[in-house]
Amino acid sequence: MRIVSRSRKREVSNQTNSPIHPAIRRAACGGRRLPPYIKGLLRLAARCPRRSYPHRTPPPTHPSARPLPSVASCLLRELHRPRPLAMAEEVVRELRASFAAERTRPAEWRAAQLRALVKMVDEKEADISAALHEDLAKPHMESYLHEISLVKASCQFAIKGLNSWMKPEKIPAAITTFPSSAQIVAEPLGVVLIISAWNYPFILSIDPVIGAIAAGNAVVLKPSEIAPATSKMLAKLLPEYVDSSCIKVVEGGVPETTDLLEQRWDKIFYTGNGTVGRIVMAAAAKHLTPVALELGGKCPVVVDSNVDLHVTAKRIAVGKWGCNNGQACIAPDYIITTKSFAPQLVDSLKRVLTRFYGEDPLQSADLSRIVNSKHFQRLTDLIEEKKVADKIVYGGQTDEKRLKIAPTVLLDVPRDTALMTAEIFGPLLPIVTVEKIEECFDLINSKTKPLAAYLFTKNKKLQEDFVANISTGGMLINDIALHLANPYIPFGGVGESGMGSYHGKFGFDCFSHKKGVLIRGFGGEATARYPPYTVEKQKILRGLINGSFIALILALLGFPREKR
Amino acid sequence: MGSVAMEEMPMDLEFGKLVGELREVYESGRTRGLEWRLSQLRGLVRLLEEEEEGIFDALYHDLGKHRAESFRDEVHTPLVAFPATAMVVPEPLGVVLIFSCWNLPIGLALEPLSGALAAGNAAVVKPSELAPYTSAFLVANVPRYLDPEAVKVVDGGAEVGEKLMEYRWDKVLFTGSSRVGQLIMTKAAKHLTPVALELGSKCPCIVDWLDSNRDSQVAVNRIIGAKWSTCSGQACIAIDYLLVEEEFAPILIELLKSTLKRFFTKPEYMARILNEKHFQRLAGFLADRRVASSVVHGGHVNAKTLTIEPTLLLNPPLDSDIMTEEIFGPLLPIITVKKIEDSIKFLKSKPKPLAIYAFTRNEKLKRRIIEETSSGSVTFNDAIVQYGLDTIPFGGVGHSGFGQYHGKYSFEMFSHKKAVLKRSFLLEFMFRYPPWDDSKIGMLRHVYRFDYVSLFFALIGLRR
């Protein structure tokens, strides 16, 4: 795969002015005829900023040497290989039939599936943990804490809430339509596609599935091919526990995903990065399918100087390196603190890190590894950049063979480096210093909206300002990443960090259509509604719509009466 | 981006500047304050009150709408509540773009605008070029009543819409056809802009046997109200066709005929067809010989005045254009089924409509319709009125679009719900932190099982 991208690199360096990559254009014209939206996708993929793409290529050293993003190149290759569309089509056809037969609608079915998921988690905890360890060397504790137990809690929350979520919501009907009653009925959308990510390959797969099942949909889950062991495990385990005529796992990479995206879905739920997010949304546009996109972003941590330093350092450390070694969409990406406080914070972080992961963190079994060599390369390139390398104040050790990178803290990295502009998604934590902590607002707002923003302070005023002035998916004050575990608040991004939210009842809502139902009787005829229109009728109508009771009573009495 | 804009037409520069200015205004925080939002909503109400004459004139010129109809459908914009919960903070999205449609040109522009402003966004409204008088009215009057720096109206055709979509918005609401909806969403994907699409569809109306003559008359009144006096059927939630039992059809048709005669004593009580193109489209439906032979009432068209008589058709072929495309005009096909329950199966075989209507007293049928069919909304024993209700969400599903507005849902549509969780520095558990070992996992298990007794023992080292 890397060879391909290198050869493309050479091609690019020749012509770079056209918005469409020459290789793409050539392929698109020369190869088999592409549907216009695929051309659009390719153009898009070629132009997209490579901020948060998982197969990230090294940061461009020279603008003309920008390599083609590998998603586009993979897509290209795929479009040229004749492939059977039948699989994706077949899956969707079967699920549509199951959905039409109303298998997924009854509350009993939904609860049974959710209970089966709980059972699966209970019985197969070891298998799940092993798969996660194989993909990411994820410590058992982390697997349990962030994936297994959360999935279970999420299932149990949904089982408990299911009946009340499904109940039609009675709402007051307006006076205009009196007498009437109104309700909002949550109905399933139909057949939904869930594409999950590699960094939390278990929970990011199952959690949306829980919402989709609770809402009564038929589901196709496409786990990430970058975490192959978990993908395989899901494909094997799920059919053993849940109704496989309505819930399917489709394994595969770009070709399979492309096939799936060509089908018509009733909702597409994608977790990953902005580049692919754009492709997913453009593909969904063809069928007018609503999408939920859970993307990442550079999540800032603002640390004020009046905090409990040791607790703060511990929480940041466990939130950054104890969450898949920084490979999490809500992991802290960079710290903002004051110039005067920075040395203390760095010292405290060093102490905490040494206690957590020992003198040689590369040997620690409590740190996940980097998912693959591509990402390893990307991360090491980030810290090997000239302006960055001498800013390391802690860590920096790497082990290419075992794909391990030690927790690394950097101080005062120039803001124009790739480390400070792209999403890091790894164990590097730069600290940015400012004169006054209030400067953090401008700094954060100058970047795209992140998925999460964190603040450590005891200053109530600063907390309020932070809530009011920072636009982000979610916000957590005085801790890291815990908001994810709270099912009562929605989890999802805004702007570049995505759209749509889930968790708890929000997951149910994400996969439901809220149908407004108005039930009227045959009374309450306001003749003013009907032609022939007269001045009197308009008066009555005005009274009615403006909520005038007297006019309403008159209208109810059918006054002024029409002459027949 | 900059260099691209330089090469192209000045329109780009103009829009670039427009979007840039709006973003600046939004980022200055001006639109976030409660006072600003309230003042804008009051401005909107004032606009509707003071410029009522202007609105009526514009609508009359564009669509030949009668004043009462205009007032009922358009001049009614509810003020929006301000929900706020402790931990979920609604925040404005930023700069939003609203495309409105020509059939209810004022309502479909200002109603969502009220939501966007209530939520604290800066907004651009692009009214449909197919209703030029209304568009001109909005361009002239909106800046007089609303903050002209934060709310802009852009006049123009499809190419203007396309150019606008080149820029990054924080939300786009589009009302119109699926074809354009697809385009809008594809373009929005480039900037990861969330979209809401309000598209049209064939809204069916099931008419069951009704016990009393009075009920039948009321039903017929309401059907006529929802078909011909909603801009001559040119509304996305107008009734598209009726579903009735075979034996009931003749009775219903007679009743419809006599009531139509009584209601539409003068031709100006009905809005005309928007333009030549749409007139031709509708006349084209009737040109199909199989369809023409199914006409049981009306059917006369007048190309000069762009009017079409209220027309009833009995069982036009299901594969004809009139039964596969959205009608959007004063033609009403009546489809018969053996038993009224069969209509549910019929509906399930069709794309999901924006609304399903049913006139019935049969509770079981009502329940089955709610549970088994899927649509944007369901209304029993009336039609269209659900649009005026701001307590229920308005919006489609499947082919009829997605994203819901009206009342507080408009506010939600243009807000981001930011989850905020606050913690203190107290209460620290060492088992949250590495290095991990089995006892920490054991403790966590207790926490997740809510087994606090065991947790306590584990903590003081009595149990593993």
Side-chain angles (χ1 to χ4, degrees):
Chain A
M1 188 170 289
R2 297 198 56 203
I3 296 163
V4 172
S5 93
R6 258 188 219 136
S7 68
R8 295 216 184 285
K9 198 181 207 169
R10 241 174 281 126
E11 283 170 19
V12 188
S13 54
N14 298 331
Q15 337 175 338
T16 44
N17 293 335
S18 163
I20 311 179
H21 193 282
I24 295 179
R25 190 170 340 106
R26 215 171 307 129
C29 305
R32 74 168 156 112
R33 267 190 70 214
L34 304 174
Y37 86 99
I38 292 281
K39 279 189 209 160
L41 290 185
L42 290 172
R43 193 178 305 129
L44 195 59
R47 279 159 114 192
C48 275
R50 277 160 287 276
R51 290 190 56 253
S52 48
Y53 185 62
H55 312 268
R56 199 179 319 234
T57 37
T61 44
H62 187 272
S64 65
R66 279 201 179 161
L68 186 67
S70 49
V71 125
S73 58
C74 292
L75 255 174
L76 258 183
R77 226 174 357 174
E78 258 339 292
L79 287 163
H80 282 277
R81 207 188 58 188
R83 64 205 144 83
L85 264 175
M87 181 273 301
E89 254 178 56
E90 195 46 53
V91 167
V92 174
R93 193 175 311 134
E94 188 187 338
L95 290 190
R96 283 223 175 271
S98 304
F99 181 76
E102 313 216 320
R103 284 184 69 106
T104 63
R105 285 227 181 193
E108 299 75 43
W109 181 88
R110 308 184 194 189
Q113 305 311 308
L114 294 173
R115 275 196 298 273
L117 285 178
V118 173
K119 191 160 163 249
M120 176 179 94
V121 170
D122 279 342
E123 293 178 1
K124 303 289 179 178
E125 187 183 321
D127 295 8
I128 298 165
S129 204
L132 292 171
H133 195 267
E134 195 180 327
D135 284 331
L136 292 153
K138 205 175 258 199
H140 179 54
M141 178 76 169
E142 269 187 43
S143 300
Y144 178 75
L145 191 59
H146 298 146
E147 307 224 39
I148 296 164
S149 69
L150 275 185
V151 161
K152 200 171 147 186
S154 194
C155 267
Q156 282 162 338
F157 189 82
I159 293 170
K160 251 186 234 156
L162 193 58
N163 276 329
S164 73
W165 297 347
M166 284 176 69
K167 207 174 271 165
E169 182 191 345
K170 287 248 155 55
I171 49 166
I175 202 167
T176 325
T177 54
F178 182 86
S180 64
S181 67
Q183 46 182 279
I184 297 175
V185 179
E187 63 176 30
L189 291 169
V191 182
V192 301
L193 172 65
I194 292 166
I195 305 176
S196 85
W198 55 264
N199 59 336
Y200 282 85
F202 185 65
I203 188 163
L204 291 183
S205 298
I206 302 295
D207 220 5
V209 169
I210 293 170
I213 293 174
N217 296 281
V219 190
V220 169
L221 167 66
K222 213 295 288 173
S224 171
E225 75 280 12
I226 300 175
T230 314
S231 172
K232 215 169 125 199
M233 179 267 297
L234 286 168
K236 181 178 161 287
L237 284 190
L238 269 183
E240 287 175 21
Y241 287 88
V242 295
D243 180 350
S244 59
S245 70
C246 305
I247 302 163
K248 295 218 178 277
V249 180
V250 174
E251 278 194 281
V254 175
E256 288 78 7
T257 313
T258 314
D259 286 356
L260 287 171
L261 284 175
E262 276 175 24
Q263 310 300 315
R264 187 173 74 76
W265 303 93
D266 295 300
K267 180 116 189 183
I268 301 177
F269 188 102
Y270 168 77
T271 308
N273 63 76
T275 312
V276 178
R278 286 171 164 87
I279 292 178
V280 168
M281 188 170 168
K286 198 181 131 199
H287 295 292
L288 293 170
T289 302
V291 289
L293 304 175
E294 301 293 336
L295 314 173
K298 279 183 92 65
C299 304
V301 183
V302 177
V303 184
D304 196 6
S305 51
N306 63 359
V307 294
D308 292 354
L309 185 57
H310 183 58
V311 175
T312 304
K314 276 204 301 187
R315 287 180 180 176
I316 293 175
V318 79
K320 173 78 178 178
W321 295 284
C323 287
N324 207 18
N325 208 5
Q327 304 172 90
C329 47
I330 51 164
D333 191 283
Y334 62 102
I335 292 180
I336 303 174
T337 191
T338 58
K339 248 192 189 83
S340 52
F341 190 65
Q344 295 175 55
L345 181 65
V346 170
D347 279 345
S348 189
L349 276 172
K350 281 182 188 172
R351 261 202 312 276
V352 166
L353 281 172
T354 313
R355 225 183 63 206
F356 282 4
Y357 304 112
E359 290 297 334
D360 184 4
L362 292 182
Q363 301 306 323
S364 169
D366 298 335
L367 273 177
S368 295
R369 67 165 160 78
I370 307 305
V371 65
N372 58 24
S373 57
K374 198 173 225 161
H375 278 274
F376 183 86
Q377 192 59 44
R378 176 182 64 80
L379 287 163
T380 46
D381 284 349
L382 281 181
I383 42 173
E384 278 162 13
E385 196 179 339
K386 225 187 231 154
K387 288 191 276 184
V388 175
D390 58 346
K391 305 291 183 190
I392 296 176
V393 291
Y394 183 84
Q397 306 94 313
T398 60
D399 179 348
E400 188 161 9
K401 251 189 225 145
R402 290 162 52 233
L403 297 178
K404 288 251 180 183
I405 298 181
T408 303
V409 182
L410 305 99
L411 189 60
D412 282 325
V413 177
R415 290 182 198 173
D416 58 347
T417 53
L419 189 72
M420 282 312 296
T421 50
E423 188 184 356
I424 295 173
F425 223 73
L428 320 173
L429 183 63
I431 299 177
V432 177
T433 57
V434 289
E435 289 296 335
K436 286 186 59 170
I437 200 69
E438 283 76 15
E439 288 169 39
C440 71
F441 296 126
D442 285 341
L443 186 61
I444 297 171
N445 286 333
S446 72
K447 297 182 187 293
T448 57
K449 296 178 180 178
L451 185 56
Y454 305 103
L455 169 69
F456 285 88
T457 186
K458 287 182 179 168
N459 179 349
K460 285 272 182 287
K461 173 79 176 47
L462 187 64
Q463 291 186 2
E464 275 166 30
D465 289 350
F466 197 72
V467 172
N469 291 317
I470 303 291
S471 182
T472 157
M475 197 171 257
L476 178 51
I477 289 170
N478 292 334
D479 213 325
I480 304 280
L482 276 190
H483 63 300
L484 176 100
N486 186 326
Y488 295 99
I489 53 179
F491 180 76
V494 58
E496 281 288 317
S497 52
M499 59 185 89
S501 59
Y502 70 128
H503 280 195
K505 176 155 191 292
F506 302 96
F508 174 85
D509 292 341
C510 179
F511 291 101
S512 296
H513 164 59
K514 295 289 167 91
K515 179 160 74 177
V517 178
L518 178 67
I519 303 172
R520 289 209 65 193
F522 287 92
E525 271 294 88
T527 47
R529 275 176 69 189
Y530 307 112
Y533 299 124
T534 59
V535 177
E536 288 75 35
K537 284 190 182 177
Q538 199 183 332
K539 273 188 200 148
I540 295 293
L541 208 54
R542 191 188 303 259
L544 251 176
I545 286 175
N546 291 341
S548 152
F549 277 91
I550 297 172
L552 169 80
I553 291 165
L554 285 175
L556 277 178
L557 295 173
F559 183 82
R561 260 176 224 288
E562 231 177 307
K563 290 189 186 83
R564 295 206 170 158
Chain B
M1 198 82 215
S3 64
V4 177
M6 298 272 274
E7 290 161 16
E8 289 181 40
M9 298 188 308
M11 193 160 78
D12 279 353
L13 280 177
E14 199 185 303
F15 286 155
K17 202 169 136 248
L18 177 105
V19 177
E21 280 169 9
L22 283 172
R23 219 160 258 297
E24 214 165 277
V25 169
Y26 171 72
E27 265 149 30
S28 75
R30 180 181 346 162
T31 62
R32 285 182 170 242
L34 179 65
E35 293 74 35
W36 184 88
R37 305 188 196 193
L38 284 175
S39 73
Q40 296 308 301
L41 292 174
R42 282 193 208 108
L44 210 51
V45 173
R46 231 157 30 91
L47 174 121
L48 292 173
E49 282 172 1
E50 292 175 12
E51 298 296 331
E52 207 179 291
E53 281 304 315
I55 294 174
F56 288 150
D57 282 351
L59 291 174
Y60 185 78
H61 278 110
D62 282 335
L63 296 157
K65 265 196 194 179
H66 195 276
R67 299 166 65 99
E69 198 183 318
S70 309
F71 182 81
R72 185 193 58 195
D73 295 345
E74 311 240 14
V75 195
H76 165 227
T77 308
L79 274 175
V80 179
F82 286 86
T85 39
M87 286 309 182
V88 180
V89 181
E91 63 174 29
L93 290 167
V95 184
V96 303
L97 174 61
I98 296 165
F99 286 96
S100 84
C101 193
W102 53 265
N103 59 339
L104 297 166
I106 298 277
L108 291 180
L110 298 189
E111 164 103 48
L113 181 62
S114 74
L117 297 176
N121 296 282
V124 170
V125 177
K126 192 191 95 53
S128 168
E129 74 279 11
L130 296 178
Y133 285 91
T134 317
S135 188
F137 167 83
L138 288 173
V139 170
N141 287 296
V142 164
R144 290 176 48 218
Y145 290 90
L146 304 177
D147 181 346
E149 282 168 26
V151 184
K152 310 253 183 202
V153 181
V154 175
D155 200 3
E159 72 292 344
V160 168
E162 210 163 302
K163 281 278 176 300
L164 283 172
M165 282 309 295
E166 297 292 328
Y167 295 92
R168 185 169 72 79
W169 303 94
D170 296 300
K171 179 104 191 189
V172 174
L173 170 69
F174 169 79
T175 310
S177 70
S178 320
R179 192 185 54 80
V180 184
Q182 282 174 4
L183 262 168
I184 298 274
M185 190 172 169
T186 312
K187 292 216 162 199
K190 201 173 112 191
H191 295 292
L192 285 176
T193 302
V195 288
L197 303 176
E198 304 293 340
L199 312 173
S201 57
K202 288 182 86 67
C203 299
C205 176
I206 298 170
V207 190
D208 195 4
W209 285 95
L210 295 164
D211 306 334
S212 71
N213 289 339
R214 182 188 169 276
D215 285 0
S216 305
Q217 183 61 54
V218 168
V220 165
N221 286 352
R222 290 175 179 177
I223 291 168
I224 292 175
K227 179 71 185 180
W228 289 285
S229 64
T230 47
C231 199
S232 282
Q234 302 174 89
C236 47
I237 48 169
I239 292 175
D240 194 280
Y241 61 96
L242 303 182
L243 284 163
V244 293
E245 275 186 25
E246 269 164 19
E247 286 167 32
F248 184 53
I251 304 170
L252 184 68
I253 290 170
E254 278 317 306
L255 207 50
L256 278 167
K257 279 186 191 171
S258 63
T259 315
L260 276 172
K261 214 168 279 166
R262 212 172 63 233
F263 278 3
F264 298 102
T265 48
K266 285 192 205 155
E268 67 258 31
Y269 291 146
M270 251 178 73
R272 65 169 162 76
I273 309 304
L274 173 79
N275 60 19
E276 183 71 29
K277 196 177 132 211
H278 279 273
F279 180 84
Q280 289 307 336
R281 183 180 59 81
L282 288 164
F285 285 145
L286 295 176
D288 185 335
R289 200 176 300 150
R290 296 177 303 162
V291 174
S293 65
S294 67
V295 171
V296 290
H297 178 77
H300 295 288
V301 299
N302 185 338
K304 252 188 223 141
T305 55
L306 295 183
T307 48
I308 295 180
E309 221 185 336
T311 301
L312 304 175
L313 305 99
L314 184 62
N315 283 326
L318 293 179
D319 59 351
S320 58
D321 288 348
I322 199 170
M323 282 313 293
T324 51
E325 288 172 26
E326 186 180 5
I327 296 174
F328 227 69
L331 315 175
L332 181 68
I334 298 164
I335 305 295
T336 57
V337 287
K338 270 238 145 30
K339 301 228 1 134
I340 200 70
E341 283 76 12
D342 298 343
S343 52
I344 290 177
K345 206 171 150 209
F346 183 85
L347 292 183
K348 281 172 79 176
S349 70
K350 302 274 171 203
K352 298 175 181 178
L354 192 51
I356 290 177
Y357 304 108
F359 288 88
T360 180
R361 283 202 184 271
N362 180 342
E363 290 303 322
K364 189 158 167 249
L365 182 68
K366 281 187 196 171
R367 212 178 54 239
R368 282 194 60 196
I369 291 173
I370 293 177
E371 284 171 7
E372 294 180 27
T373 68
S374 181
S375 58
S377 65
V378 181
T379 302
F380 290 106
N381 301 332
D382 210 331
I384 303 284
V385 288
Q386 83 275 15
Y387 180 80
L389 259 189
D390 45 21
T391 47
I392 64 176
F394 176 78
V397 59
H399 288 86
S400 48
F402 53 84
Q404 298 180 317
Y405 67 112
H406 269 207
K408 92 170 162 112
Y409 298 94
S410 302
F411 177 87
E412 285 173 11
M413 170 178 270
F414 292 105
S415 296
H416 162 61
K417 286 189 177 172
K418 179 164 69 180
V420 178
L421 195 62
K422 291 188 190 177
R423 295 249 305 147
S424 78
F425 289 101
L426 299 169
L427 203 69
E428 275 289 280
F429 288 113
M430 79 338 180
F431 53 75
R432 260 186 76 189
Y433 303 107
W436 309 128
D437 57 40
D438 287 346
S439 72
K440 286 187 181 176
I441 293 186
M443 286 181 212
L444 272 167
R445 254 182 236 284
H446 297 320
V447 174
Y448 277 100
R449 284 189 201 134
F450 305 100
D451 186 356
Y452 296 115
V453 179
S454 307
L455 174 70
F456 176 73
F457 282 127
L459 273 176
I460 56 174
L462 284 181
R463 205 152 97 183
R464 285 255 139 171

